[in-house]
Amino acid sequence: MFIELPLADEDFMEQPVITLWSDAHFHSPYVMSVYVALKEKGLAFTLQTVDLASGQHLQPGWQGYQLTRRVPVLAVQEFILSESSAIDEYLEERFAPPVWERIYPVDREKRARARQIQAWLRSDLLPIREERPTEVIFSGARMPPLSAAGCQAAEKFIAHVETLLPEGQQNLFGEWCIADTDLALMINRLALNGDALPARLEEYAQFQWQRASVQQFVALSDQVSG
Ligand SMILES: N[C@@H](CCC(=O)N[C@@H](CS)C(=O)NCC(=O)O)C(=O)O
């Protein structure tokens, strides 16, 4: 049975002013997640940058200083939030379907799994994140072979992704969701460096990377690096 839920008043209100704070080079995978979420939702927003290299984010004048002093930071009117997956989830609730596009699966268990994947990619696999920085993805850097710890993390990562990703499918859960973009970024840390990966993981990441919202973010970092 299909039950139509009443829409909240704020769904009908004009879109509030939204600002996304990024690092100046657009190299942050966490900023990318929020940028893609905003684009996929169809929200208008202003992009502002803070220069991490010169420590601008550690200056009391910056909006994110009162939070975690890290990017991304999202401001929706006077509400300021950090931590990318918390922001993605907030956006899904604040700008909820069907008025705004969906960025998490409809099904509760799939939605939980998507959030599990996001949390895992942010809290585990540190050797991959350290030895395959996003410069590999956004500025063509090539890194030396993985250390023993890197190989171990890559092996664990690949084994789990193979169980997560259904054979012959282009998305984790049928329809695209924000965890697909986060996962593709992690795969691309290895794939774009030339590390060995099962073909279907590479193909999945390549497919995800063609998404317009992802390409718009890649273009931002291309513009900065000239
Ligand atoms: N778990 C955080 C990670 C944010 C993060 O590590 N941001 C980095 C840029 S990729 C940053 O701001 N680094 C500056 C610092 O930590 O001082 C998220 O998902 O938003």
Side-chain angles (χ1 to χ4, degrees):
M1 188 171 61
F2 178 74
I3 302 170
E4 202 166 341
L5 294 169
L7 296 170
D9 282 351
E10 61 186 14
D11 290 331
F12 295 106
M13 282 162 37
E14 227 172 82
Q15 194 212 292
V17 175
I18 301 178
T19 305
L20 170 62
W21 284 94
S22 170
D23 63 300
H25 291 99
F26 302 102
H27 278 181
S28 167
Y30 313 111
V31 170
M32 187 177 105
S33 185
V34 174
Y35 179 93
V36 167
L38 288 163
K39 287 281 177 188
E40 294 289 342
K41 284 225 156 270
L43 290 161
F45 60 99
T46 304
L47 199 52
Q48 298 245 39
T49 60
V50 60
D51 184 23
L52 303 183
S54 65
Q56 241 185 333
H57 60 305
L58 305 175
Q59 302 303 315
W62 178 50
Q63 204 169 26
Y65 183 83
Q66 56 188 292
L67 299 175
T68 55
R69 302 181 194 173
R70 300 201 291 184
V71 290
V73 166
L74 186 85
V76 177
Q77 307 278 63
E78 68 290 343
F79 179 62
I80 307 167
L81 191 63
S82 66
E83 288 296 321
S84 58
S85 59
I87 297 173
D88 289 345
E89 289 182 47
Y90 170 70
L91 288 172
E92 185 76 325
E93 285 184 17
R94 174 67 180 80
F95 303 99
V99 174
W100 303 95
E101 293 298 321
R102 181 177 294 285
I103 60 168
Y104 283 95
V106 187
D107 176 83
R108 186 180 54 198
E109 275 66 38
K110 288 181 179 166
R111 204 159 60 242
R113 187 73 67 211
R115 293 192 294 238
Q116 174 200 304
I117 293 166
Q118 288 193 294
W120 177 54
L121 296 173
R122 284 159 175 75
S123 62
D124 197 1
L125 312 165
L126 185 63
I128 302 179
R129 285 184 277 135
E130 281 180 345
E131 296 178 32
R132 297 292 178 261
T134 54
E135 281 70 21
V136 167
I137 297 171
F138 298 121
S139 45
R142 291 297 168 262
M143 309 305 284
L146 291 168
S147 67
C151 287
Q152 207 176 19
E155 187 276 318
K156 182 173 87 164
F157 173 62
I158 293 166
H160 188 42
V161 176
E162 284 193 300
T163 67
L164 287 169
L165 198 58
E167 267 313 326
Q169 284 201 35
Q170 291 169 320
N171 299 309
L172 282 163
F173 305 110
E175 299 281 311
W176 173 88
C177 77
I178 191 65
D180 282 300
T181 298
D182 289 350
L183 180 57
L185 182 132
M186 191 60 119
I187 296 173
N188 273 339
R189 287 178 188 264
L190 298 165
L192 299 183
N193 197 71
D195 296 305
L197 281 168
R200 77 186 182 97
L201 266 59
E202 281 197 50
E203 284 156 19
Y204 162 80
Q206 269 169 21
F207 174 79
Q208 293 298 332
W209 223 243
Q210 287 160 23
R211 216 170 165 84
S213 52
V214 173
Q215 282 303 308
Q216 282 165 347
F217 186 80
V218 173
L220 291 172
S221 66
D222 285 352
Q223 264 170 32
V224 173
S225 49

Short mmCIF file of all heavy atoms in Angstrom, two decimals, residues 55-81:
data_model
loop_
_atom_site.label_atom_id
_atom_site.label_comp_id
_atom_site.label_asym_id
_atom_site.label_seq_id
_atom_site.Cartn_x
_atom_site.Cartn_y
_atom_site.Cartn_z
N GLY A 55 47.04 27.51 6.85
CA GLY A 55 46.43 27.46 8.18
C GLY A 55 45.25 28.40 8.37
O GLY A 55 44.88 28.71 9.50
N GLN A 56 44.63 28.82 7.23
CA GLN A 56 43.47 29.73 7.34
C GLN A 56 42.34 29.12 8.16
O GLN A 56 41.60 29.84 8.83
CB GLN A 56 42.93 29.98 5.93
CG GLN A 56 42.98 31.41 5.49
CD GLN A 56 42.31 31.58 4.13
OE1 GLN A 56 42.26 30.67 3.32
NE2 GLN A 56 41.81 32.76 3.90
N HIS A 57 42.26 27.79 8.13
CA HIS A 57 41.17 27.12 8.85
C HIS A 57 41.40 27.13 10.36
O HIS A 57 40.53 26.74 11.13
CB HIS A 57 41.01 25.68 8.34
CG HIS A 57 42.23 24.82 8.51
ND1 HIS A 57 43.48 25.17 8.03
CD2 HIS A 57 42.41 23.63 9.14
CE1 HIS A 57 44.35 24.23 8.34
NE2 HIS A 57 43.73 23.28 9.01
N LEU A 58 42.59 27.54 10.77
CA LEU A 58 42.90 27.58 12.21
C LEU A 58 42.79 29.00 12.76
O LEU A 58 43.19 29.26 13.89
CB LEU A 58 44.30 26.99 12.45
CG LEU A 58 44.51 25.56 11.90
CD1 LEU A 58 45.94 25.10 12.09
CD2 LEU A 58 43.55 24.58 12.57
N GLN A 59 42.27 29.90 11.93
CA GLN A 59 42.09 31.29 12.36
C GLN A 59 40.68 31.51 12.89
O GLN A 59 39.71 31.09 12.25
CB GLN A 59 42.31 32.25 11.17
CG GLN A 59 43.69 32.14 10.50
CD GLN A 59 44.83 32.37 11.49
OE1 GLN A 59 44.78 33.30 12.28
NE2 GLN A 59 45.82 31.49 11.45
N PRO A 60 40.56 32.15 14.06
CA PRO A 60 39.25 32.32 14.69
C PRO A 60 38.20 33.00 13.78
O PRO A 60 37.01 32.80 13.98
CB PRO A 60 39.54 33.19 15.91
CG PRO A 60 40.99 32.99 16.18
CD PRO A 60 41.66 32.68 14.87
N GLY A 61 38.64 33.74 12.78
CA GLY A 61 37.67 34.44 11.92
C GLY A 61 36.88 33.51 11.01
O GLY A 61 35.81 33.86 10.52
N TRP A 62 37.38 32.29 10.80
CA TRP A 62 36.71 31.39 9.84
C TRP A 62 35.47 30.73 10.46
O TRP A 62 35.48 30.36 11.63
CB TRP A 62 37.71 30.30 9.36
CG TRP A 62 37.06 29.34 8.43
CD1 TRP A 62 36.32 29.65 7.32
CD2 TRP A 62 37.05 27.92 8.53
NE1 TRP A 62 35.86 28.50 6.72
CE2 TRP A 62 36.29 27.42 7.45
CE3 TRP A 62 37.60 27.00 9.43
CZ2 TRP A 62 36.07 26.06 7.23
CZ3 TRP A 62 37.39 25.64 9.22
CH2 TRP A 62 36.64 25.19 8.14
N GLN A 63 34.42 30.60 9.63
CA GLN A 63 33.14 30.07 10.12
C GLN A 63 33.25 28.66 10.74
O GLN A 63 32.53 28.32 11.66
CB GLN A 63 32.14 30.03 8.95
CG GLN A 63 30.72 30.07 9.40
CD GLN A 63 29.74 30.28 8.26
OE1 GLN A 63 30.02 29.96 7.12
NE2 GLN A 63 28.59 30.83 8.58
N GLY A 64 34.20 27.86 10.22
CA GLY A 64 34.33 26.50 10.73
C GLY A 64 35.19 26.40 11.98
O GLY A 64 35.32 25.33 12.57
N TYR A 65 35.76 27.52 12.40
CA TYR A 65 36.68 27.52 13.56
C TYR A 65 35.96 27.07 14.82
O TYR A 65 36.52 26.35 15.65
CB TYR A 65 37.28 28.91 13.73
CG TYR A 65 38.30 29.00 14.83
CD1 TYR A 65 39.62 28.62 14.60
CD2 TYR A 65 37.94 29.47 16.10
CE1 TYR A 65 40.57 28.70 15.62
CE2 TYR A 65 38.89 29.56 17.11
CZ TYR A 65 40.19 29.17 16.87
OH TYR A 65 41.12 29.25 17.88
N GLN A 66 34.70 27.48 14.93
CA GLN A 66 33.95 27.13 16.15
C GLN A 66 33.50 25.66 16.13
O GLN A 66 32.99 25.16 17.13
CB GLN A 66 32.75 28.06 16.29
CG GLN A 66 31.85 28.03 15.08
CD GLN A 66 30.76 29.09 15.13
OE1 GLN A 66 29.87 29.00 15.95
NE2 GLN A 66 30.86 30.08 14.26
N LEU A 67 33.67 24.99 15.00
CA LEU A 67 33.30 23.57 14.92
C LEU A 67 34.57 22.72 14.99
O LEU A 67 35.34 22.84 15.92
CB LEU A 67 32.52 23.29 13.62
CG LEU A 67 31.20 24.06 13.46
CD1 LEU A 67 30.59 23.79 12.10
CD2 LEU A 67 30.21 23.67 14.54
N THR A 68 34.83 21.90 13.94
CA THR A 68 35.97 20.98 14.00
C THR A 68 37.24 21.56 13.37
O THR A 68 38.27 20.90 13.37
CB THR A 68 35.62 19.68 13.26
OG1 THR A 68 35.20 20.03 11.93
CG2 THR A 68 34.51 18.91 13.95
N ARG A 69 37.12 22.76 12.78
CA ARG A 69 38.26 23.41 12.09
C ARG A 69 38.74 22.56 10.92
O ARG A 69 39.93 22.52 10.60
CB ARG A 69 39.42 23.71 13.05
CG ARG A 69 38.95 24.60 14.18
CD ARG A 69 40.04 24.95 15.16
NE ARG A 69 39.42 25.51 16.36
CZ ARG A 69 40.05 25.81 17.47
NH1 ARG A 69 41.35 25.63 17.56
NH2 ARG A 69 39.40 26.31 18.50
N ARG A 70 37.80 21.82 10.33
CA ARG A 70 38.13 21.03 9.16
C ARG A 70 37.07 21.28 8.10
O ARG A 70 35.94 21.69 8.42
CB ARG A 70 38.14 19.53 9.50
CG ARG A 70 39.13 19.17 10.58
CD ARG A 70 39.50 17.71 10.57
NE ARG A 70 38.42 16.83 10.99
CZ ARG A 70 38.59 15.51 11.12
NH1 ARG A 70 39.74 14.95 10.86
NH2 ARG A 70 37.58 14.76 11.50
N VAL A 71 37.43 21.00 6.83
CA VAL A 71 36.43 21.05 5.77
C VAL A 71 35.98 19.62 5.47
O VAL A 71 36.76 18.68 5.68
CB VAL A 71 37.00 21.72 4.49
CG1 VAL A 71 37.23 23.19 4.70
CG2 VAL A 71 38.25 21.02 3.98
N PRO A 72 34.74 19.45 5.01
CA PRO A 72 33.78 20.49 4.65
C PRO A 72 33.05 21.06 5.87
O PRO A 72 32.92 20.41 6.91
CB PRO A 72 32.77 19.72 3.78
CG PRO A 72 32.78 18.33 4.36
CD PRO A 72 34.21 18.09 4.76
N VAL A 73 32.57 22.30 5.65
CA VAL A 73 31.61 22.91 6.57
C VAL A 73 30.45 23.37 5.69
O VAL A 73 30.67 23.93 4.62
CB VAL A 73 32.24 24.11 7.32
CG1 VAL A 73 31.16 24.94 8.00
CG2 VAL A 73 33.24 23.61 8.35
N LEU A 74 29.26 23.09 6.16
CA LEU A 74 28.06 23.52 5.43
C LEU A 74 27.29 24.51 6.28
O LEU A 74 27.08 24.25 7.47
CB LEU A 74 27.17 22.32 5.11
CG LEU A 74 25.97 22.66 4.22
CD1 LEU A 74 26.39 22.63 2.75
CD2 LEU A 74 24.80 21.73 4.44
N ALA A 75 26.90 25.61 5.67
CA ALA A 75 26.03 26.57 6.37
C ALA A 75 24.70 26.61 5.63
O ALA A 75 24.67 26.86 4.41
CB ALA A 75 26.68 27.94 6.40
N VAL A 76 23.63 26.33 6.34
CA VAL A 76 22.27 26.49 5.79
C VAL A 76 21.64 27.58 6.64
O VAL A 76 21.32 27.36 7.81
CB VAL A 76 21.46 25.17 5.87
CG1 VAL A 76 20.05 25.40 5.35
CG2 VAL A 76 22.15 24.07 5.08
N GLN A 77 21.55 28.75 6.05
CA GLN A 77 21.21 29.97 6.81
C GLN A 77 22.17 30.07 7.98
O GLN A 77 23.37 30.03 7.78
CB GLN A 77 19.74 29.93 7.29
CG GLN A 77 18.74 29.68 6.18
CD GLN A 77 18.37 30.91 5.37
OE1 GLN A 77 19.20 31.51 4.70
NE2 GLN A 77 17.10 31.26 5.38
N GLU A 78 21.64 30.09 9.21
CA GLU A 78 22.53 30.28 10.37
C GLU A 78 23.00 28.95 10.97
O GLU A 78 23.81 28.94 11.89
CB GLU A 78 21.85 31.16 11.44
CG GLU A 78 20.66 30.55 12.14
CD GLU A 78 19.42 30.40 11.25
OE1 GLU A 78 19.34 31.05 10.18
OE2 GLU A 78 18.53 29.62 11.62
N PHE A 79 22.52 27.82 10.42
CA PHE A 79 22.93 26.51 10.96
C PHE A 79 24.22 26.04 10.29
O PHE A 79 24.28 25.91 9.06
CB PHE A 79 21.81 25.48 10.74
CG PHE A 79 22.17 24.11 11.26
CD1 PHE A 79 22.43 23.90 12.60
CD2 PHE A 79 22.27 23.03 10.39
CE1 PHE A 79 22.77 22.64 13.08
CE2 PHE A 79 22.62 21.77 10.85
CZ PHE A 79 22.87 21.57 12.20
N ILE A 80 25.23 25.76 11.11
CA ILE A 80 26.55 25.40 10.56
C ILE A 80 26.89 23.98 11.02
O ILE A 80 26.77 23.65 12.21
CB ILE A 80 27.64 26.37 11.06
CG1 ILE A 80 27.22 27.81 10.77
CG2 ILE A 80 28.97 26.11 10.35
CD1 ILE A 80 28.07 28.82 11.50
N LEU A 81 27.33 23.15 10.05
CA LEU A 81 27.56 21.74 10.35
C LEU A 81 28.86 21.27 9.71
O LEU A 81 29.19 21.68 8.59
CB LEU A 81 26.38 20.93 9.79
CG LEU A 81 26.25 19.46 10.20
CD1 LEU A 81 26.03 19.30 11.70
CD2 LEU A 81 25.09 18.80 9.43
#
